[in-house]
Amino acid sequence: MTEETHVQGPTIRPRRLRRTPALRRMVAETHVVPSSLVLPVFIREGLAEPHPVSSMPGVVQHSRDSLRRAVTEAAELGLGGVMLFGIPEHKDATGSGAIDPAGVLNLAITDVVAEVGDQLTVMSDLCLDEFTDHGHCGLLTPDGEVDNDRTLAAYAEMALAQAAAGVDMVGPSGMMDGQVAVVRSALDAAGHSHVSVLAYSAKYASAFFGPFREAVDSSLVGDRRTYQQDPANALEGVREVLLDVAEGADIVMVKPALPYLDVVRRVRDAVDVPVAAYNVSGEYAMLEAAAANGWIDREAAIMETLTSIRRAGADVILTYWASEAARLLRR
Ligand code: PBG
């Protein structure tokens, strides 16, 4: 054995602040808190029992009763809110179930507001794709293009139906040009100026939405590339966000989250409204699949995921792990 070489040790040692759990806690720059988490939930018309979504282990399509239980638990855990998605029994070309006051989503809003409306922010997806038989987010022209401006009129009606059901915040997610302005002015003109708008502003045409399409029994054939953004574009995401702020968005969102953390950061630096990020179905499914195989430490990976989205600049995170993360934070 050779004699050890003696070096002059460093004076500045970042490791000093990592020595004990208390030190590490004290200097942590980023915190995940239950109040910043929003749980997306699916409710399917006509279900007597919750129905598992196979591509998203642990996620279900809710019945009316199981939805009440899930949101009660979310409230007890101190989450910031819930985002409701409805799956109707019957779909048609115009997505009329979205506007029907007795449609599955509007009834769910009423149920959830009655149950936990004083404790949680109740949010609803404002988009036609779950309600149309072709699965697109808007109305189609005779040659099958998504018709931006006719879709806007449908979104305005949908916003009014959701506001009448008592929603706190609507989430226009269809990526039609001008959707935030139309929704805002429809709400205001009908006396719903208190209803806020969470704009899905920078929403990408992403493969990471795959499992969601099963969760909502999507009828989509083809893709959404003529309205959702090209994954190659970050500046364009900032442009979309700035337009939505100018149109009256109260919160802007980037979606998906993990493959677009650079966009989350750019957006956080560009605006002075809260920024949300949607930790989408494919991000959930990847981690769950790896954990089910014993390839990753599931709970640690969940918390690291949520921490990274907050660190990138998200104030609010929509995540299927919201309730579980809140439970983990209690420990
Ligand atoms: C559209 C909508 C989608 C998601 C949320 N809202 C799907 C899509 O645009 O195809 C995806 C959410 C997820 O993947 O978790 N209403």
Side-chain angles (χ1 to χ4, degrees), residues 264-283:
V264 173
R265 169 48 56 195
R266 287 198 198 203
V267 165
R268 178 59 292 167
D269 292 343
V271 298
D272 54 10
V273 295
V275 173
Y278 198 139
N279 177 215
V280 302
S281 57
E283 300 169 42

Side-chain angles (χ1 to χ4, degrees), residues 74-198:
E76 283 162 7
L77 288 164
L79 298 190
V82 289
M83 172 63 81
L84 307 177
F85 293 92
I87 306 146
E89 232 157 7
H90 304 289
K91 305 181 183 194
D92 58 29
T94 60
S96 59
I99 286 151
D100 182 352
V104 59
L105 180 54
N106 297 322
L107 289 181
I109 292 169
T110 308
D111 282 354
V112 172
V113 168
E115 200 75 21
V116 291
D118 52 346
Q119 298 164 72
L120 286 178
T121 305
V122 180
M123 314 179 187
S124 51
D125 189 49
L126 200 169
C127 191
L128 289 175
D129 64 314
E130 283 94 34
F131 296 92
T132 52
D133 51 14
H134 46 74
H136 276 294
C137 294
L139 305 178
L140 302 184
T141 65
D143 3 307
E145 300 286 317
V146 175
D147 185 336
N148 195 88
D149 298 5
R150 274 179 58 231
T151 300
L152 292 181
Y155 286 176
E157 283 190 66
M158 197 174 173
L160 296 184
Q162 296 182 349
V167 82
D168 291 311
M169 184 178 284
V170 294
S173 68
M175 288 298 282
M176 296 301 123
D177 291 336
Q179 63 185 12
V180 171
V182 162
V183 164
R184 182 71 274 154
S185 69
L187 289 170
D188 291 350
H192 300 298
S193 59
H194 60 283
V195 173
S196 48
V197 175
L198 164 66

